[in-house]
Amino acid sequence: MNHQARTWGLTALIAAIAGVLYALWVYDVPHPHEHIPVIVFVILFAAAEIFVVHVEFRKDAHTLSLVDIPLVLGLFFASPAWLVPAHLAGAAVALGLFRRQRPMKLGYNLAAFALEDTLALVVFHSIGHLDPLAPTSWVAAFLAALVAALVAVISVTVAIAVSGGTQTWHQRLQSLQFAVAATFISASTAIALAVLIEVDDRAVVLLATPIAAIYAAYRLALAQRNDRRSMELLHTSAGLLQGDQDTAHALQHLLDQIRNLFQADVAALTYVPVSDPTMAALWVVGPGTGIQPMVTQPRDQVWSRWRDLAPRAQATLVGSRRKISDELLTDVSIDNGMVAPLILGSRTVGYLLVANRLNDVSRFSTTDLLVLETLAQQLSVGVDDGELERPLYQLRVFERQLAYRENHDALTGLATRLSFTDQLSTRLTESSGEPDTLATIVVDLADPGGALVPDAALLVVAERLRRLIRQEDVLGRLDHQRFALVATLPPDPQVATELSERIETSLVRPIHVDAHRVDLIVQIGYAINSAGDSAETLLDRAYLDMVRA
């Protein structure tokens, strides 16, 4: 079962539990203090989900919702039967139309809200007196809001686990601490509002005005902080790719800073090097803590898809209907994002992508686009200076070294068994119908005392074998003390026999290593190809000939 099916199943279970509790303990609860119309609570719940604030606490970001205010007011002044539907209606409008959440996430959130409100109503009406002026009702309201907050934290934790995500115990404890603190603040505010409404509802304006002023001041401070961070990042990115530091590491660090700036889950950079315009390099940071190593892709396969994301060669918003397939970012689905081209002269040489806003409340704005476009221009300067070419050159050198190591023996530099077999198969295919003959010769070495042949002696053996073969022949080391070669010879078995004898004569000569004499026992077998032979068949026949010899 995939995580989507598990999430829908969990949503149905939570909704069923909330429905049973609502039907048995909430629906028929009488409430004499219905002072506020239901439509007001719908508006308040919608506003609470839209106008949220973001708080950074110990390097982690948290979203502070004011939903406890309409919830606590509803405990005092709304009918229990209508409070839950009012919350669901307001949240559906805010999450569905304003935040544009996907159906699966929207359904899960609404089910969780229903359970939170139902349990809060059960707790409040079990111990409260419905009198906003009674301290026992304040305690009941606090406990009800706290229960709702705990359910919210648990539902988020369970949702992360079901969807395949992970959370440390430290993160869970920190989320719980923040939820309790936020609940204390918002519940206190709501109880104070309830007392004012009960005494003189006109006095609500006296408390509502400073709340709105504090909220506006916080949003302004948040905007100024983000502007300052943007300027700092623009300043540091100008010199980040300069100097002697590793360019690939510097790019990963820069991408991580960029996604932190925009509160995004994914940041990626793709670039077509000047030295090889047929390929496209890709760096990806995210999702989560993942950092994907730089990979290269054929430019023709991916470049049109990247160009479609920014068809006007300028920074562009990527909406929820624009999905980036595995051809561009492996296992990353883009729900919302921004992409900015890297322009060198009149040519687009790369794209910078930021995607999947973490806070799920606000979306990328035109201001964010301007900042991203400026960052892309800074990276274009690095392209112009050739800084992005360095990791690509290093990658090509590493790939060549890796390919050489895979196909060549580390000690002697001869072909490995796998490479030798592949080359023999190629020779068999090419020689089909030719008058010449492929001779496969296997050479097995042994020390008279039963010890392993020392590496220094094996190097001498490899050099002697090289001198006996032609450039077009293939020489390989099959294991520690066994060599093999493939030679194209005239169709006369006597020629292969003579070559085997020359090899034996050369290798039985004493080898002097560090003033010590090494004498080798040499066993040789050979096989001549015939119709339908495979590489392994020829090697097996050469082994058998060696054993018979």
Side-chain angles (χ1 to χ4, degrees), residues 19 87 134 201 274 290 294 351 442 501 546:
H87 189 174
D201 53 12
V274 177
M294 183 187 68
Y351 292 92
V442 176
E501 291 173 351
M546 181 184 68

Side-chain angles (χ1 to χ4, degrees), residues 292-320:
Q292 302 181 25
M294 183 187 68
V295 297
T296 57
Q297 303 167 301
R299 179 185 182 276
D300 293 340
Q301 293 183 7
V302 299
W303 206 243
S304 61
R305 294 294 309 280
W306 282 104
R307 188 169 54 245
D308 289 343
L309 295 177
R312 299 179 181 178
Q314 62 186 27
T316 307
L317 291 172
V318 180
S320 59

Side-chain angles (χ1 to χ4, degrees), residues 236-313:
T236 57
S237 64
L240 190 61
L241 300 180
Q242 305 296 325
D244 297 328
Q245 61 180 315
D246 179 65
T247 306
H249 178 75
L251 277 173
Q252 291 174 350
H253 179 63
L254 177 60
L255 289 175
D256 191 47
Q257 284 188 322
I258 289 174
R259 69 172 187 157
N260 288 336
L261 171 66
F262 294 109
Q263 299 181 30
D265 193 27
V266 177
L269 172 68
T270 185
Y271 164 65
V272 173
V274 177
S275 58
D276 188 0
T278 64
M279 62 179 288
L282 176 67
W283 293 266
V284 181
V285 175
T289 58
I291 297 178
Q292 302 181 25
M294 183 187 68
V295 297
T296 57
Q297 303 167 301
R299 179 185 182 276
D300 293 340
Q301 293 183 7
V302 299
W303 206 243
S304 61
R305 294 294 309 280
W306 282 104
R307 188 169 54 245
D308 289 343
L309 295 177
R312 299 179 181 178

Side-chain angles (χ1 to χ4, degrees), residues 311-382:
R312 299 179 181 178
Q314 62 186 27
T316 307
L317 291 172
V318 180
S320 59
R321 296 183 181 179
R322 302 291 298 277
K323 303 291 184 179
I324 295 184
S325 69
D326 289 348
E327 295 178 359
L328 300 184
L329 300 182
T330 304
D331 299 327
V332 178
S333 178
I334 303 302
D335 291 326
N336 57 86
M338 305 180 292
V339 61
L342 276 63
I343 299 177
L344 187 59
S346 59
R347 186 167 61 95
T348 300
V349 297
Y351 292 92
L352 177 62
L353 171 74
V354 176
N356 296 351
R357 199 86 180 228
L358 285 175
N359 59 45
D360 197 31
V361 176
S362 60
R363 305 181 70 82
F364 295 110
S365 64
T366 54
T367 303
D368 295 329
L369 274 180
L370 291 175
V371 176
L372 186 70
E373 196 164 33
T374 306
L375 286 168
Q377 292 172 0
Q378 294 280 13
L379 285 173
S380 299
V381 174

